[in-house]
């Protein structure tokens, strides 16, 4: 057989790239073939980015041309990886154009202090001059309205440029939207996965967030369908995982971390936070009681080479503040304020670092930290 474009195209119809049911000619992997005497230049466009998959196809092409057409053919490849288009993410980016960074707050178990952390970190960042929003996405127990003293708020619908939007409620300088605003307080909400993620996505897109430096997403506990669907479809810049230090919680935390790190999701973990680290009594403040075990989360972070953002002891006043609807971190010059200030600063530093390291197409860059300079300076 003569070595030319036609004969090469013909034999390449017998080559398949992994994961495709069509041959490499039909599926468009072979973009161009050029023949100069015995030199053959082949342009490939592949959507499987692994080196192994690429090498395999190239080796098969060389073999089949050598065996069937000309054993002396010198074959060169110019292989490009097809950009995977992510229409959903682009759509979200566009709609949330005023939001610089979305931070998911996650925990494997409920009741470990995820909402407490979210509210107190958000409050202290707002106090430092950042523009902060919270989306309370915890369908099992939306507690943020209570913690921010806006229980029973009824979201208002407004029109912006002819488009209907929901107005978030503002409390302590934080813009809040909660799934709790749409369900009765005493009504146990059991949403099926697809329904819940649809409702949550809608809440995110349709809320008039305006300009935000940080949007905290208080996720439901666990690693189920809702999480996968939510985290896959949003341009989340990073996740914080909150846990108590006890062993049973830690096993779940590992699972949570895996979820964020899996290939199809790939959300950087900004750090772990240990809540309810220990308790001290007023009578003997120097004695720490490690009720849930000592430093479990800290050790786990070390083990997995993930940032440890800090520990939050058990404070009666923190719990009371939450129940009362005023974030404990707003108590001037208190130990609680100090703890949340330090953890929040570390978190923002880590976020800025990650945003700078990751390709800008995948993330929303922090560009608007003007009022937030105290935090930014540290990084
Ligand atoms: N460090 C802490 N000290 C005292 N009480 C806490 C602390 N962290 C959380 N709590 C209390 O524990 C309960 C569960 O916390 P919450 O933040 O609602 O957990 P989650 O959102 O993970 O379900 C709440 O009543 C909260 O006030
Ligand atoms: Mg909660």
């Amino acid at each position: 057989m003569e070595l030319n474009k036609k004969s090469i195209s013909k034999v390449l119809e017998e080559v398949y790239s992994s994961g495709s049911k069509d041959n490499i000619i039909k599926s468009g992997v072979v973009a161009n073939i050029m023949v100069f005497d015995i030199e053959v230049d082949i342009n490939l466009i592949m959507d499987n980015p692994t080196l192994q998959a690429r090498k395999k196809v190239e080796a098969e092409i060389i073999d089949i041309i050598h065996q069937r057409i000309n054993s002396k053919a010198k074959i060169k490849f110019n292989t490009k990886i097809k950009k995977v288009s992510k229409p959903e993410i682009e759509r979200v980016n566009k709609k949330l154009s005023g939001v610089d960074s979305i931070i998911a707050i996650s925990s494997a178990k409920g009741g470990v202090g995820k909402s407490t952390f979210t509210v107190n970190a958000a409050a202290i960042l707002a106090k430092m001059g950042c523009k902060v929003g919270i989306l309370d996405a915890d369908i099992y127990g939306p507690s943020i309205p209570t913690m921010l003293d806006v229980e029973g708020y009824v979201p208002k619908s407004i029109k912006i440029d002819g488009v209907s939007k929901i107005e978030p409620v503002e409390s302590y300088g934080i813009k809040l939207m909660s799934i709790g605003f749409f369900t009765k307080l005493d009504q146990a909400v059991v949403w099926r996965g697809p329904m819940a993620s649809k409702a949550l996505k809608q809440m995110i897109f349709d809320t008039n967030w305006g300009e935000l430096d940080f949007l905290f997403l208080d996720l439901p506990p666990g690693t189920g369908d809702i999480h996968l669907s939510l985290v896959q479809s949003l341009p989340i810049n990073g996740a914080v995982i909150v846990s108590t230090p006890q062993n049973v919680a830690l096993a779940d935390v590992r699972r949570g971390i895996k979820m964020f790190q899996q290939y199809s999701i790939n959300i950087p973990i900004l750090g772990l936070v240990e809540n309810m680290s220990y308790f001290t009594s007023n009578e003997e403040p120097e004695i720490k009681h490690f009720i849930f075990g000592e430093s479990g989360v800290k050790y786990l972070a070390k083990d997995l080479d993930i940032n440890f953002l800090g520990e939050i002891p058990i404070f009666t006043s923190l719990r009371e503040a939450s129940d009362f609807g005023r974030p404990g971190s707003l108590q001037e010059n208190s130990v609680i304020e100090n703890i949340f200030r330090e953890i929040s600063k570390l978190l923002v530093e880590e976020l800025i670092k990650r945003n700078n390291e990751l390709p800008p197409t995948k993330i929303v860059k922090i560009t608007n930290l003007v009022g937030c300079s105290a935090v930014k300076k540290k990084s």
Side-chain angles (χ1 to χ4, degrees):
M1 224 193 290
E2 198 186 329
L3 184 71
N4 58 32
K5 194 168 168 167
K6 205 170 155 199
S7 63
I8 293 171
S9 292
K10 187 87 197 122
V11 295
L12 293 190
E13 283 176 3
E14 294 170 37
V15 178
Y16 290 77
S17 63
S18 61
S20 171
K21 62 179 192 333
D22 291 322
N23 66 59
I24 57 172
I25 297 291
K26 193 170 176 203
S27 62
V29 169
V30 178
N32 196 18
I33 301 170
M34 283 174 290
V35 185
F36 315 94
D37 195 21
I38 57 158
E39 280 180 24
V40 180
D41 281 2
I42 300 179
N43 291 1
L44 301 177
I45 298 179
M46 299 187 65
D47 53 14
N48 189 338
T50 67
L51 185 65
Q52 201 189 358
R54 197 180 114 185
K55 289 285 168 219
K56 186 169 163 279
V57 167
E58 291 178 356
E60 282 178 27
I61 292 173
I62 293 172
D63 277 356
I64 204 160
I65 293 174
H66 281 171
Q67 281 169 26
R68 304 274 286 280
I69 309 176
N70 187 330
S71 61
K72 296 202 180 70
K74 287 187 186 152
I75 301 154
K76 278 197 303 193
F77 293 99
N78 176 13
T79 304
K80 289 207 174 84
I81 303 301
K82 202 197 300 182
K83 283 210 180 79
V84 183
S85 64
K86 287 191 176 161
E88 178 117 33
I89 293 202
E90 271 157 27
R91 187 174 75 92
V92 176
N93 262 336
K94 225 174 169 180
K95 276 204 169 181
L96 290 178
S97 57
V99 179
D100 279 334
S101 287
I102 301 181
I103 304 166
I105 312 295
S106 172
S107 73
K109 287 161 73 77
V112 296
K114 188 163 43 71
S115 301
T116 304
F117 173 76
T118 306
V119 158
N120 284 285
I124 197 95
L125 284 168
K127 194 178 163 191
M128 288 176 187
C130 303
K131 299 191 194 81
V132 189
I134 298 178
L135 177 77
D136 178 7
D138 190 345
I139 46 170
Y140 306 117
S143 56
I144 305 234
T146 307
M147 294 180 171
L148 288 178
D149 200 18
V150 287
E151 231 168 14
Y153 171 82
V154 181
K156 290 174 194 62
S157 175
I158 49 160
K159 274 225 174 350
I160 294 180
D161 301 331
V163 181
S164 285
K165 292 268 180 185
I166 340 167
E167 193 65 3
V169 64
E170 201 163 329
S171 186
Y172 303 106
I174 302 164
K175 285 184 181 164
L176 170 68
M177 186 49 67
S178 170
I179 192 116
F181 296 149
F182 301 95
T183 56
K184 290 212 180 76
L185 270 180
D186 52 354
Q187 173 188 326
V189 194
V190 185
W191 299 66
R192 284 183 303 117
M195 200 167 117
S197 38
K198 198 167 161 234
L200 292 175
K201 272 183 232 168
Q202 209 167 17
M203 274 170 66
I204 293 169
F205 306 147
D206 294 351
T207 298
N208 178 35
W209 296 110
E211 298 275 317
L212 290 183
D213 294 310
F214 311 111
L215 175 59
F216 286 98
L217 213 58
D218 186 2
L219 289 174
T223 49
D225 287 351
I226 298 160
H227 298 80
L228 282 174
S229 156
L230 259 184
V231 298
Q232 266 170 338
S233 62
L234 291 174
I236 295 172
N237 300 68
V240 173
I241 298 177
V242 181
S243 180
T244 54
Q246 84 230 68
N247 271 331
V248 283
L250 297 181
D252 292 339
V253 172
R254 282 180 192 266
R255 239 203 342 261
I257 291 171
K258 266 210 191 110
M259 179 187 79
F260 283 110
Q261 289 178 337
Q262 65 182 260
Y263 184 71
S264 61
I265 295 178
N266 202 15
I267 293 173
I269 312 276
L270 301 171
L272 303 188
V273 171
E274 183 175 283
N275 189 29
M276 311 199 197
S277 295
Y278 54 84
F279 176 78
T280 53
S281 69
N282 288 339
E283 295 73 35
E284 299 170 303
E286 68 288 348
I287 300 175
K288 293 177 178 174
H289 302 274
F290 296 99
I291 294 170
F292 296 113
E294 193 176 344
S295 302
V297 180
K298 197 192 241 171
Y299 291 136
L300 182 69
K302 209 169 171 189
D303 188 31
L304 298 175
D305 199 20
I306 289 176
N307 278 303
F308 182 67
L309 296 176
E311 54 184 31
I312 306 162
I314 298 170
F315 295 109
T316 310
S317 60
L318 184 58
R319 202 264 309 144
E320 282 169 353
S322 288
D323 289 348
F324 189 67
R326 182 176 166 79
S329 63
L330 294 179
Q331 293 163 13
E332 294 276 344
N333 302 321
S334 65
V335 184
I336 296 178
E337 181 193 18
N338 214 15
I339 287 172
F340 280 102
R341 188 184 288 274
E342 288 312 307
I343 296 180
S344 304
K345 274 191 197 166
L346 274 181
L347 166 61
V348 173
E349 276 170 39
E350 201 50 40
L351 179 72
I352 291 175
K353 213 157 75 189
R354 294 301 179 111
N355 279 356
N356 288 336
E357 277 168 13
L358 290 176
T361 48
K362 280 201 186 151
I363 51 140
V364 197
K365 275 235 171 201
I366 294 188
T367 49
N368 186 14
L369 278 170
V370 192
C372 213
S373 50
V375 192
K376 200 186 171 193
K377 226 180 276 166
K378 268 225 69 185
S379 60

